[in-house]
């Protein structure tokens, strides 16, 4: 049994046991034996049997071999073919660098005039430009094929073509593109090393070893950048951005698997350097240890988090991948120092006399980033959903290495294990994720993260968790969202066969909440992509959130029909900064053309039924009532789902905003076609308008604007396609309100990715309702029904009653009956025809014969109608069938009724 020990300096301090890992080796192999990072010698037999016995693993192995074989064969004939394509400092051999601030507040540029050329070998190319490589329009450059990589490239600039605009070609400073390109070659080395480990063929060892040795000697003779006066920006060993260094974690795999070959041939690798006097007694192991230690200490730890305790964000998790590098160091004192930083919150390290007193560790230790960055209740990474997969994938790679080396990351951090399936709680019925902030919509949870977690749970003996995780993965496979496959590291770690017997619907709650984003969702038929309903509202208040007011998105048959705006264009692009981050891109109400003056904001929940994680009193109805402060304007949004008994249903949206001068209600739906109809289905003709043209508000990106006015209710009909290319319709009904001006427009598409390959749309259609007065006493009201062609149910929507204090009753007439939706924000008694009501929210469902079908009371309410009187201290659903009354409620209500009814017990 091997325990993690600490260097002499560490023994000077008492470190509480509860913050330390125990490290028990899973085998009796010597501590410094290679390979050990992702697999050990003793694992080889198991891995080969899995490949032999399971078709998907054999297929994955064959794919890797088919890729590497021609490269390995070519490398035997011409080693420089691939080595010359690595982006190195081919001359001069720069080894010293000074950073200067870039225009991006999060990174630096390299000062090209002050570089020092003191290395005897080519060094690894640093990022002249600190941030993401981008074109003048902020689009991303296109990756060249490996065969088209420049050979012995010396210039700091390179001519690239835009990935999204083939007509745009520019000569740009290479930023992170350097490391993205080098990662392709580094990955080839790792794949070759893995094949050598599994097959023993030396052609793979030579390819892996040569790639690694060119890289590691460059690192050995170069230094981390020097930082100027501006310390409040992260950087890495290889340039002015801290996210670049982890691209080289795969060099560790080449070294670890080809270690015996490298040691055996070290004379060839080091001869010239020794002959020229640059090396004396150093051997391969000491050179690699020094290079890895310097890379971590001077780059990843010191640079990536110098003065940076400001954000528990994905930079932290990305760096955790470099645990691979720490584990590969043979010098025990150096390895233990690095592992102590990665694993434990140990403030003594930074005290005077501590090992790294000048380094602020920020959120690097696993203990800290799990406590501060992963939401305890949901297991979500505290950023928009698309960002969740990015750091979690990095953490899973780190966890794999920790697990193989006898640590217990999956057991020690149950919050981390939970994080790998947390996103499923927040998916629409088709399996796509909710979205908010600068996260793009219509993506699935990350199946590969699930695979890592399944393997971790299996190795840790966590059978219940393994079955649950497997059930989530199996659901993605069954839906066609994922097909099992593996790259080289996954081939070594993933389980070959899934255990699956859980019903994942048990975790798809009727209502749910993400606290750090101010997100509230409600759903019906959670996994039925054809008949399911789901709606969410949010107002972000955390990292990568965008404050645009109370936003909304909801689901229709086969797809999210009205989705979050997302970020279709890159950071810094004109369309991004002038439209996508602004309220004009959201489904919200903008008071007086204002933009929020707070970077982050949040919703206040007034009422939600069902309560979070509870089943609720009704199988068909739910609602959310939230409040929000838009600068000085008070806003309140009541949104509800009203389902049909067997399939479908509709949404209702009631939005109050008290700005006295101007309020604009905005609604965007996906699709290329929009018709404007009267309540009688007559097509209406619009007029050109100057509304919504204001510069700086985002409205300047609306095109094809037409205005409409009507004394009656309005109906807007959208046509789009689901992810399979089938037509989906959406009817948006807006009851007549005096003073409304309706404007239709074409707005920029929110997002389009590989999930949308069957969808023809390239824009969104927008309805904007303009009002030159307050919208509190007369709130905006929208009723939305999404359906397949010729399957609509709603015939007519009308506001039949309102009060000066904002209380409303909305009538929705359908082919099968009608509904009265009552919303009261005043707590005053409402009297309408035979209805007497006191409370907040209610739905009265009526049959074709105008008889009561059910009464849904969303919160503390009393109601009297059609011979039935109910007083309830909480939510209640009362159903009438053939004169028999039954109900479901949180607490026993008071019910009285006429002789025509019988209470069914």
């Amino acid at each position: 049994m091997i325990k993690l020990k600490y260097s002499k300096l560490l023994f000077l301090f008492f470190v509480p046991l509860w913050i330390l890992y125990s490290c028990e080796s899973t085998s009796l192999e010597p501590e410094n034996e290679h390979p050990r990072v992702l697999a050990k010698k003793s694992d080889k037999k198991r891995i080969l049997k899995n490949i032999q016995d399971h078709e998907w693993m054999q297929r994955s192995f064959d794919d890797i071999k088919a890729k590497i074989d021609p490269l390995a064969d070519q490398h035997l004939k011409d080693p420089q073919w691939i080595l010359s394509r690595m982006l190195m400092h081919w001359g001069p051999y720069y080894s010293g660098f000074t950073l200067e601030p870039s225009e991006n507040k999060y990174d630096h540029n390299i000062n090209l005039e002050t570089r020092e050329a003191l290395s005897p070998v080519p060094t690894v190319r640093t990022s002249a430009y600190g941030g993401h490589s981008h074109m003048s329009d902020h689009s991303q450059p296109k990756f060249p094929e490996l065969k088209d990589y420049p050979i012995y490239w010396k210039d700091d600039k390179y001519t690239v073509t835009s990935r999204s605009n083939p007509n745009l070609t520019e000569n740009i400073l290479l930023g992170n593109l350097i490391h993205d390109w080098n990662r392709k070659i580094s990955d080839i080395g790792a794949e070759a090393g893995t094949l050598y480990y599994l097959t023993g063929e030396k052609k793979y060892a030579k390819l892996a070893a040569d790639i690694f040795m060119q890289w590691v000697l460059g690192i050995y003779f170069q230094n981390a950048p020097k930082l100027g006066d501006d310390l409040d920006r992260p950087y890495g060993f290889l340039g002015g951005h801290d996210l670049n260094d982890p691209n080289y974690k795969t060099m560790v795999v080449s070294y670890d698997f080809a270690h015996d070959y490298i040691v055996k041939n070290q004379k060839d690798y080091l001869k010239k350097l020794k002959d020229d006097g640059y090396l004396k007694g150093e051997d391969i192991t000491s050179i690699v240890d020094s290079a890895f230690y310097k890379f971590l200490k001077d780059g990843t730890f010191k640079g990536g988090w110098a003065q940076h305790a400001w954000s528990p964000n994905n930079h932290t998790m990305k760096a955790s991948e470099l645990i691979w590098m720490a584990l590969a160091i043979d010098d025990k004192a150096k390895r233990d120092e690095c592992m102590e930083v990665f694993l434990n919150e140990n403030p003594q390290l930074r005290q005077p006399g501590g090992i790294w007193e000048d380094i602020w560790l920020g959120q690097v230790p696993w203990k800290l980033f799990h406590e501060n960055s992963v939401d305890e209740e949901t297991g979500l990474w505290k950023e928009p959903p698309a960002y969740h997969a990015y750091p979690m994938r990095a953490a899973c790679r780190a966890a794999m290495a920790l697990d193989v080396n006898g640590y217990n990351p999956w057991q020690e951090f149950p919050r981390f294990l939970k994080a790998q399936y947390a996103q499923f709680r927040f998916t629409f019925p088709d399996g796509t994720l909710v979205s908010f902030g600068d996260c793009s919509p219509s993506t699935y949870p990350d199946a590969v993260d699930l695979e890592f977690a399944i393997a971790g749970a299996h190795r840790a003996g966590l059978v219940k968790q393994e079955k649950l995780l497997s059930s989530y993965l199996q659901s993605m496979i069954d839906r066609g969202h994922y097909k099992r496959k593996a790259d080289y590291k996954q081939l070594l770690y993933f389980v070959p066969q899934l255990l699956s017997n859980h019903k994942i619907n048990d975790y798809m709650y009727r209502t749910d909440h993400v606290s750090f984003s101010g997100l509230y969702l409600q759903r019906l038929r959670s996994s039925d992509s054809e008949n399911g309903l789901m709606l969410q509202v949010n107002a972000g208040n955390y990292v990568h959130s965008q404050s645009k007011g109370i936003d909304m998105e909801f689901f229709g048959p086969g797809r999210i029909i009205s989705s979050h705006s997302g970020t279709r264009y890159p950071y810094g692009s004109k369309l991004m900064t002038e439209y996508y981050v602004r309220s004009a891109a959201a489904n919200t109400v903008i008071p007086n053309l204002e933009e929020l003056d707070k970077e982050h904001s949040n919703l206040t929940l007034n009422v939600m039924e069902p309560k979070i994680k509870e089943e609720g009193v009704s199988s068909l109805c739910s609602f959310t009532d939230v409040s929000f402060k838009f600068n000085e304007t008070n806003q309140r949004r009541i949104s509800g789902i009203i389902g049909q008994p067997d399939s479908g249903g509709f949404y209702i949206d009631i939005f109050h905003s008290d700005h006295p001068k101007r309020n604009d209600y905005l609604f965007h739906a996906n699709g290329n076609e929009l018709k404007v109809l009267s309540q009688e289905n007559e097509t209406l003709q619009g007029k050109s308008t100057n509304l919504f043209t204001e510069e700086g508000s985002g409205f300047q990106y609306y095109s094809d604007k037409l205005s409409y006015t009507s004394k009656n209710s309005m109906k807007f009909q959208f046509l789009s396609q689901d992810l399979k290319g089938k037509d989906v319709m959406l009817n948006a009904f807006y009851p007549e309100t005096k003073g409304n001006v309706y404007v239709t427009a074409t707005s920029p598409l929110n997002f389009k990715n590989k999930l949308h390959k069957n969808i023809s749309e390239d824009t969104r259609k927008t309805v904007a309702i303009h009002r030159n007065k307050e919208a509190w006493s007369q709130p905006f009201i929208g009723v939305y029904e999404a359906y397949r062609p010729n399957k609509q149910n709603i015939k007519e929507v009308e506001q039949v009653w309102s009060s000066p204090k904002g209380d409303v009753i909305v009538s929705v007439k359908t082919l099968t009956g009608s509904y009265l939706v009552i919303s009261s924000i005043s707590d005053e008694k409402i009297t309408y025809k035979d209805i007497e009501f006191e409370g907040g929210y209610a739905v009265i469902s009526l049959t074709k014969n105008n008889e009561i079908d059910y009464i849904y009371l969303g919160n503390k309410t009393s109601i009297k109608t059609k011979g039935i009187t109910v007083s309830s201290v909480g939510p209640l659903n009362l159903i009438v069938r053939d004169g028999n009354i039954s109900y479901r409620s949180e607490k026993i209500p008071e019910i009285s009724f006429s002789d025509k009814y019988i209470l069914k017990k």
Side-chain angles (χ1 to χ4, degrees):
M1 185 168 68
I2 303 168
K3 293 282 187 178
L4 175 64
K5 298 179 182 178
Y6 300 93
S7 65
K8 291 182 178 180
L9 282 172
L10 282 176
F11 274 119
L12 297 174
F13 305 104
F14 168 74
V15 182
L17 291 177
W18 65 272
I19 67 171
L20 295 181
Y21 280 85
S22 65
C23 173
E24 298 187 4
S25 176
T26 55
S27 72
L28 298 177
E29 291 154 320
E31 188 173 11
N32 281 342
E33 185 173 62
H34 293 272
R36 65 169 179 266
V37 177
L38 300 186
K40 301 183 178 183
K41 286 183 178 179
S42 58
D43 294 321
K44 180 177 175 179
K45 184 177 180 180
R46 168 187 57 81
I47 295 166
L48 289 173
K49 189 173 190 313
N50 285 342
I51 293 171
Q52 179 181 339
D53 293 349
H54 298 276
E55 184 275 335
W56 74 272
M57 284 192 154
Q58 182 68 59
R59 175 171 27 91
S60 299
F61 173 82
D62 292 343
D63 288 345
I64 296 169
K65 195 170 184 299
K67 172 187 172 182
I68 299 301
D69 271 343
L71 293 170
D73 292 338
Q74 182 185 47
H75 189 69
L76 292 175
K77 301 173 186 177
D78 181 10
Q80 291 307 308
W81 188 91
I82 196 165
L83 297 180
S84 65
R85 283 166 166 76
M86 286 184 68
L87 291 180
M88 309 286 286
H89 293 295
W90 289 110
Y93 300 158
Y94 294 119
S95 59
F97 312 91
T98 302
L99 295 175
E100 60 186 15
S102 75
E103 70 274 16
N104 187 330
K105 65 180 180 180
Y106 298 118
D107 45 52
H108 301 73
N109 293 336
I110 294 288
N111 187 318
L112 302 181
E113 305 301 322
T114 60
R115 292 179 290 189
E116 300 173 338
L118 302 175
S119 172
V121 296
T123 53
V124 183
R125 183 71 71 98
T126 54
S127 306
Y129 172 71
H132 296 285
S133 302
H134 61 76
M135 318 291 282
S136 58
D137 67 350
H138 288 267
S139 61
Q140 298 296 307
K142 184 179 180 180
F143 268 46
E145 296 294 326
L146 180 62
K147 63 181 177 59
D148 299 323
Y149 274 29
I151 298 172
Y152 300 116
W153 188 255
K154 295 183 180 181
D155 293 351
D156 293 306
K157 289 187 174 183
Y158 185 68
T159 300
V160 292
T161 300
S162 168
R163 189 182 302 174
S164 57
N165 181 4
N167 296 320
L168 180 61
T169 299
E170 294 177 342
N171 195 241
I172 66 172
L173 276 175
L174 293 179
N176 68 325
L177 204 61
I178 293 169
H179 312 292
D180 291 338
W181 290 3
N182 277 348
R183 185 181 63 211
K184 279 191 174 182
I185 296 175
S186 178
D187 287 350
I188 288 169
E191 290 167 317
T194 303
L195 289 175
Y196 175 58
Y197 165 69
L198 293 174
T199 69
E201 291 189 50
K202 290 187 179 179
K203 68 176 182 179
Y204 301 128
K206 177 172 174 54
L207 177 59
D210 287 356
I211 289 172
F212 173 74
M213 288 306 301
Q214 177 167 278
W215 180 85
V216 80
L217 289 174
I219 295 297
Y220 182 77
F221 284 104
Q222 73 189 86
N223 299 306
K226 300 173 184 176
L227 199 61
D229 295 333
D230 180 3
L231 294 177
D232 195 26
R233 300 175 186 211
Y235 63 93
F237 190 89
L238 292 172
H241 197 293
D242 59 331
L243 290 181
N244 292 325
D245 290 356
N247 282 302
Y248 297 99
K249 65 184 180 297
T250 49
M251 289 292 183
V252 175
V253 184
S254 300
Y255 172 64
D256 197 40
F257 282 137
H259 182 268
D260 63 339
Y261 180 92
I262 293 171
V263 170
K264 184 177 180 180
N265 293 278
Q266 64 179 309
K267 279 187 177 181
D268 296 334
Y269 287 119
L270 305 181
K271 183 178 186 305
K272 188 174 187 309
L273 288 168
K274 288 188 174 183
D275 290 347
D276 293 345
Y278 291 104
L279 295 175
K280 294 184 171 58
E282 298 91 341
D283 61 5
I284 282 288
T285 299
S286 65
I287 289 171
V288 172
D289 281 0
S290 295
F292 283 179
Y293 181 75
K294 177 172 61 173
F295 192 91
L296 290 173
K297 180 180 176 181
D298 294 344
T300 301
F301 298 146
K302 185 174 182 179
W305 284 274
Q307 304 294 320
H308 265 264
W310 49 267
S311 176
N313 65 10
N314 54 33
H315 294 229
T316 302
M317 292 289 254
K318 190 67 178 171
S320 71
E321 295 178 288
L322 289 172
I323 282 176
W324 293 11
M325 190 172 285
L327 289 168
I329 295 173
D330 279 351
D331 184 307
K332 183 165 174 37
K334 290 178 178 176
R335 182 174 68 243
D336 287 351
E337 288 176 20
C338 293
M339 292 305 293
E340 171 69 1
V341 174
F342 273 125
L343 298 181
N344 299 309
E345 180 188 11
N346 188 351
Q348 286 100 339
L349 291 175
R350 302 191 301 276
Q351 291 180 354
I355 296 172
W356 292 337
E357 62 181 277
D358 57 341
I359 296 177
W360 174 261
L361 299 182
Q363 305 292 329
V364 172
W366 264 52
K367 181 184 183 302
L368 282 182
F369 74 60
H370 284 96
E371 289 182 356
N372 298 340
S373 304
V374 179
D375 184 56
E376 182 174 12
E377 196 280 317
T378 62
L380 290 175
W381 183 255
K382 294 182 181 178
E383 293 184 309
Y387 288 89
H388 178 99
Y390 179 76
M392 284 303 154
R393 179 75 62 85
C396 284
R397 293 173 183 135
M400 172 187 178
L402 289 171
D403 190 13
V404 169
N405 283 271
Y407 299 82
N408 298 302
W410 303 102
Q411 284 182 311
E412 293 285 337
F413 293 103
R415 194 183 301 188
F416 173 55
L417 187 63
K418 184 178 184 179
Q420 308 319 315
Y421 62 88
Q423 289 188 309
F424 284 88
R425 269 179 60 180
F426 303 96
T427 53
F428 284 96
D430 67 339
T432 54
L433 284 161
V434 301
S435 56
F436 56 87
D438 61 6
C439 152
S440 299
S442 296
T443 56
Y444 298 133
D446 197 290
V448 175
D449 291 356
L450 276 177
E451 291 267 28
F452 274 109
I454 290 166
H458 177 79
R459 291 168 62 99
L462 304 172
V463 178
K464 181 179 178 182
Q465 291 89 331
E466 182 185 356
K467 288 181 178 180
L468 173 61
L469 291 158
S470 297
S471 298
Y472 280 116
L473 187 65
Q474 189 63 53
S475 73
M476 295 189 71
I477 295 171
D478 294 343
R479 285 174 176 241
H481 297 172
Y482 177 68
K483 184 177 181 180
R484 296 197 81 187
K485 57 185 178 180
D487 65 15
Y488 68 92
K489 56 187 171 296
Q490 297 156 5
L491 196 65
L492 306 174
Y493 192 65
F494 286 2
V495 298
Q497 196 164 341
L498 300 176
L499 301 177
S500 177
N501 63 1
H502 276 247
K503 292 182 179 179
I504 63 172
N505 284 353
D506 294 345
Y507 302 90
M508 310 288 279
Y509 304 113
R510 284 281 307 279
T511 59
D512 219 326
H513 172 47
V514 181
S515 60
F516 60 86
S517 71
L519 183 148
Y520 295 90
L521 69 81
Q522 48 189 307
R523 55 160 68 97
L524 184 62
R525 308 181 191 101
S526 61
S527 59
D528 186 341
S529 62
E530 187 63 25
N531 300 302
L533 299 170
M534 181 168 150
L535 177 147
Q536 66 104 342
V537 294
N538 72 82
N541 74 329
Y542 215 75
V543 179
H544 283 289
S545 296
Q546 295 166 351
S547 297
K548 295 187 283 193
I550 313 175
D551 204 353
M552 173 183 73
E553 63 177 2
F554 59 74
F555 190 78
R559 74 170 298 181
I560 308 170
I561 196 73
S562 177
S563 58
H564 167 69
S565 59
T567 55
R568 179 166 168 75
Y569 287 80
Y571 292 126
S573 65
K574 189 174 182 182
L575 198 55
M576 170 74 175
T577 58
E578 293 184 359
Y579 179 72
Y580 284 104
V581 301
R582 296 183 178 273
S583 299
N587 293 325
T588 192
V589 169
I590 303 178
N592 203 35
L593 295 177
E594 295 177 11
E595 288 294 322
L596 274 168
D597 58 12
K598 300 174 182 176
E599 182 180 355
H600 306 304
S601 49
N602 207 348
L603 294 179
T604 299
L605 178 65
N606 301 316
V607 186
M608 191 172 195
E609 206 293 313
K611 294 176 182 176
I612 295 169
K613 293 187 180 182
E614 294 188 5
E615 186 58 29
V617 297
S618 169
S619 62
L620 297 176
C621 295
S622 60
F623 83 107
T624 303
D625 178 354
V626 295
S627 294
F628 184 75
K629 194 82 169 179
F630 197 120
N631 299 335
E632 298 304 314
T633 299
N634 295 301
Q635 295 188 330
R636 188 166 178 177
R637 191 167 203 166
I638 298 101
S639 52
I641 292 176
I642 300 171
Q644 294 292 113
D646 300 317
S647 64
F650 61 91
Y651 306 97
I652 187 164
D653 183 35
I654 301 169
F655 204 132
H656 302 262
S657 183
D658 72 357
H659 197 283
K661 293 183 179 180
R662 176 174 175 173
N663 294 276
D664 297 300
Y665 178 97
L666 307 178
F667 175 74
H668 309 267
N670 301 318
N672 280 339
E673 295 184 26
L674 171 60
K675 295 180 180 179
V676 183
L677 306 169
S678 68
Q679 194 86 279
E680 294 76 28
N681 283 324
E682 296 174 349
T683 301
L684 301 179
Q685 301 300 319
K687 300 178 181 179
S688 61
T689 179
N690 291 324
L691 287 172
F692 302 106
T693 57
E694 292 82 0
E695 289 289 332
S697 62
F699 293 132
Q700 67 268 31
Y701 288 95
Y702 290 2
S703 60
D704 306 322
K705 292 183 289 291
L706 295 173
S707 68
Y708 304 79
T709 56
S710 175
K711 295 181 180 180
N712 300 309
S713 298
M714 298 282 286
K715 176 181 173 182
F716 297 80
Q717 189 174 81
F718 300 80
L719 172 64
S720 63
Q721 292 86 39
D722 66 15
L723 299 183
K724 295 180 180 179
K726 296 179 179 179
D727 285 350
V728 182
M729 308 291 292
L730 172 69
N731 286 344
F733 298 88
Y734 301 104
E736 184 274 327
T737 302
K738 188 176 180 180
N740 281 357
V741 178
Y742 302 87
V743 175
T744 59
T746 298
S747 55
L749 183 67
N750 54 335
F751 191 69
K752 198 168 185 177
N753 61 22
K754 62 184 179 181
L755 300 185
H756 302 86
K757 62 183 179 181
N758 296 315
I759 298 176
S760 61
E761 66 200 35
D762 51 20
T763 62
R764 286 207 295 177
K765 294 300 182 181
T766 296
V767 176
I769 306 176
H770 169 70
R771 189 182 298 175
N772 278 327
K773 61 178 181 179
E774 57 84 21
W776 190 268
S777 64
Q778 284 289 323
F780 296 103
I781 299 171
V783 173
Y784 302 96
E785 181 187 25
Y787 59 94
R788 295 294 184 185
N790 301 316
K791 298 290 185 180
Q792 68 267 33
N793 189 38
I794 296 178
K795 298 189 299 181
E796 181 181 308
V797 175
E798 184 182 3
Q799 179 180 301
V800 296
W801 182 90
S802 65
S803 77
K805 294 190 176 180
D807 303 336
V808 295
I809 300 179
V810 180
S811 168
V812 180
K813 294 182 179 179
T814 71
L815 297 174
T816 56
S818 63
Y819 300 87
L820 289 173
V821 182
I822 306 172
S823 174
S824 173
I825 61 173
S826 70
D827 294 326
E828 294 185 357
K829 184 176 182 179
I830 293 174
T831 301
Y832 168 70
K833 293 186 175 180
D834 68 340
I835 298 173
E836 294 180 7
F837 175 83
E838 285 185 273
Y841 182 85
V843 178
I844 303 173
S845 174
L846 301 171
T847 66
K848 281 187 174 181
N849 298 324
N850 206 34
E851 297 292 335
I852 293 176
D853 177 37
Y854 67 78
I855 299 173
Y856 168 72
L857 306 178
N859 50 2
K860 182 180 179 181
T861 312
S862 66
I863 191 168
K864 180 179 180 181
T865 184
K866 295 185 179 296
I868 297 176
T869 302
V870 180
S871 179
S872 177
V873 296
L876 174 141
N877 193 56
L878 182 145
I879 299 173
V880 179
R881 295 288 182 272
D882 299 322
N884 292 310
I885 294 175
S886 61
Y887 68 87
R888 182 174 180 177
S889 64
E890 290 184 354
K891 297 182 180 180
I892 297 176
E894 295 179 7
I895 302 177
S896 61
F897 43 86
S898 64
D899 293 342
K900 66 183 289 188
Y901 299 108
I902 298 173
L903 181 63
K904 184 179 178 181
K905 294 186 178 180

